[in-house]
Amino acid sequence: MHYATFTDRGHRMVGRVDPAAGTIQPLELGLEDADRGVLALARLAAAGVDPQPVGAPVALADIRLDAAAPHPLRNIFCVGKNYHEHAEEFARSGFDSSGGAVPDHPIVFSKVPECVVSSGAEIRFDPAVSAAIDYEGELAVIIGKGGRGIAPADALAHVWGYTIVNDVTARDIQSRHKQWLLGKSFDTFCPMGPIAVTADRIDLGDTRLRTWVNGELRQDANTRDMIFDVPAIIAAISAGITLVPGDIIATGTPVGVGIGFDPPKFLADGDIVRVEIDGIGVLENPVRHLPGSGQGA
């Protein structure tokens, strides 16, 4: 199933998307659940509740799609250097403070929930703060069944579904502070969605991910190229942290990010970043300098 969070006539709602018909069927949810977006569906599914349709389907062209999860429950878990070729390009870039090229264990960091924005929203930055803004198209996991100490063999039973994330990064901040939270968590640095799909819709062994900047294909990879697969990632995080329904895990980006080019191709005012994952859909965002930065609005 395909789902999305949307706003119609000032009210946030969650619905089941029919891609062929171009419609979304609203689901019956309370206001608090609707504000959590598709994360409410993950939580309710864990409790054995299946929200029922309410009203008539609405044309997607007539509503505004929000981020799949407008207000994540807590920080988004993220995995760094999780595609073989990207690990090599990052190690060569001069921005890698993690040591080595291909990691022996998952490198896990986080992004604050407040940096999430919808498809179509501006990725905004101040050139006086960072001059090295990069894109990272990623497959994100939505946890449906919580737990601690989850074994790899059991991990996929804990997944409700998947969505798209652009793990936007200030590379100079990432390098300067020798850790990744600050450079990953600027306001607007986590475009997400707009579509989320249930776990049965994605073949983790064969799903294509592509990223374009201004129509130029930059990233083109397959989930089978991951260093650590989704079960391994869930096992590593849950070994000491209890995962809860609605947790989001961004699984890493493939080769082709801006720092992989010589010279680097960082994002600039007016750029358009488009991330597409087969079976899910498209996430697209314009890039804008912050007003008052003296570099354009």
Side-chain angles (χ1 to χ4, degrees):
M1 294 290 185
H2 293 66
Y3 293 94
T5 307
F6 67 103
T7 298
D8 184 24
R9 289 168 290 186
H11 297 285
R12 176 162 285 154
M13 307 175 78
V14 180
R16 184 179 300 122
V17 176
D18 184 336
T23 60
I24 186 166
Q25 171 62 62
L27 299 175
E28 189 170 12
L29 292 172
L31 292 177
E32 184 175 351
D33 278 336
D35 198 48
R36 290 293 181 191
V38 300
L39 300 189
L41 302 183
R43 182 185 66 80
L44 292 169
V49 177
D50 183 17
Q52 296 303 300
V54 58
V58 179
L60 291 171
D62 294 338
I63 51 94
R64 186 191 78 202
L65 292 177
D66 298 327
H71 304 294
L73 303 172
R74 53 184 181 176
N75 280 25
I76 298 158
F77 296 100
C78 303
V79 182
K81 298 172 62 172
N82 197 34
Y83 285 76
H84 289 275
E85 290 185 70
H86 171 64
E88 297 288 349
E89 78 172 345
F90 192 39
R92 294 191 304 266
S93 70
F95 289 88
D96 186 3
S97 60
S98 64
V102 177
D104 295 324
H105 303 281
I107 298 172
V108 181
F109 58 95
S110 71
K111 297 172 81 80
V112 299
E114 292 79 11
C115 67
V116 169
V117 293
S118 64
S119 184
E122 295 177 345
I123 298 168
R124 314 189 89 182
F125 71 99
D126 184 347
V129 177
S130 173
I133 306 301
D134 210 346
Y135 53 88
E136 294 191 5
E138 305 194 14
L139 175 73
V141 176
I142 300 172
I143 294 296
K145 177 185 175 185
R148 183 175 179 274
I150 300 168
D154 302 325
L156 294 183
H158 290 256
V159 175
W160 175 82
Y162 302 93
T163 190
I164 306 172
V165 159
N166 184 353
D167 177 20
V168 182
T169 306
R171 296 295 185 192
D172 44 3
I173 301 300
Q174 181 184 33
S175 178
R176 181 184 309 157
H177 291 277
K178 310 302 180 187
Q179 52 77 40
W180 297 355
L181 178 70
L182 294 180
K184 298 282 190 174
S185 295
F186 285 12
D187 296 346
T188 75
F189 271 26
C190 191
M192 179 191 294
I195 303 298
V197 300
T198 47
D200 60 297
R201 294 288 173 161
I202 294 296
D203 178 0
L204 293 172
D206 186 18
T207 292
R208 190 180 186 190
L209 181 157
R210 288 169 289 176
T211 302
W212 293 263
V213 178
N214 302 328
E216 177 190 0
L217 183 61
R218 299 278 185 88
Q219 296 182 290
D220 188 354
N222 195 290
T223 51
R224 63 172 169 261
D225 302 326
M226 286 182 180
I227 297 169
F228 304 102
D229 61 14
V230 170
I233 293 167
I234 291 174
I237 295 172
S238 72
I241 298 174
T242 300
L243 291 173
V244 299
D247 272 339
I248 300 168
I249 304 171
T251 58
T253 200
V255 68
V257 296
I259 54 169
F261 295 88
D262 185 16
K265 294 184 177 182
F266 294 125
L267 295 176
D269 186 59
D271 285 348
I272 302 291
V273 185
R274 175 186 175 94
V275 183
E276 181 172 354
I277 298 181
D278 289 353
I280 303 179
V282 173
L283 170 67
E284 184 171 288
N285 298 85
V287 179
R288 292 286 181 269
H289 288 169
L290 285 168
S293 66
Q295 305 290 326

